[in-house]
Amino acid sequence: MDPMEIMTIGKKVLREETEKVQEFGQDIPEFIENMKITMVESNGIGLAAPQVGDSRKIITVHYDLEKKGKIIEMINPEIISFCDENEKSEEGCLSVPGITGMVERPLEIEVRYQDIDGNEHVREFSGLNARIIQHEVDHLNKTLFVDRLSYAKRLMIKNKLRKLEEKARQG
Ligand code: NI
């Protein structure tokens, strides 16, 4: 399997509505395997299907990254609760190359999602795991981390973003 092409900011698919996975056929494990390969090859720590041009609600996440961990997948993930405590930390995104910024997010979340067989799970995540999942679920909701940066930071990166967007539209 070859890695898939990463869609960068400016590509329409990143701003389009995503669809729930209804059928758990053989193409799902294959697609997820390909997402994982693409994520690893690109040195990403999370990936959402729209980033490879697919509008299904699927994400892959490098779980427990600090302890080496493993890559997990979530189908139709939905964040059902957030804790009150927030944390600011630096984020980047394969779809916004060359730009990083501080994003404030809740420290702990509860997520409902389905596995590769369609079985439903509800699980709590905290710290970096919670941050990556929130970033990837944002992708499924047409949101990029740059949308969550402070106004001052967005002004600072405005020209860089415009260049990236022009490049993506031409390519
Ligand atoms: Ni991203």
Side-chain angles (χ1 to χ4, degrees), residues 46-48 51 59 79 91-96 103 105 109 129-141 143-146 148:
L47 191 69
Q51 292 183 275
I59 64 172
I79 301 173
E91 290 188 19
C93 179
L94 293 174
S95 295
V96 193
V103 182
R105 298 190 188 270
I109 54 170
N129 291 329
R131 178 170 295 275
I132 301 173
I133 292 167
Q134 288 176 81
H135 177 117
E136 300 316 326
V137 170
D138 268 356
H139 276 296
L140 302 181
N141 295 318
T143 302
L144 299 173
F145 85 98
V146 287
R148 295 190 179 277

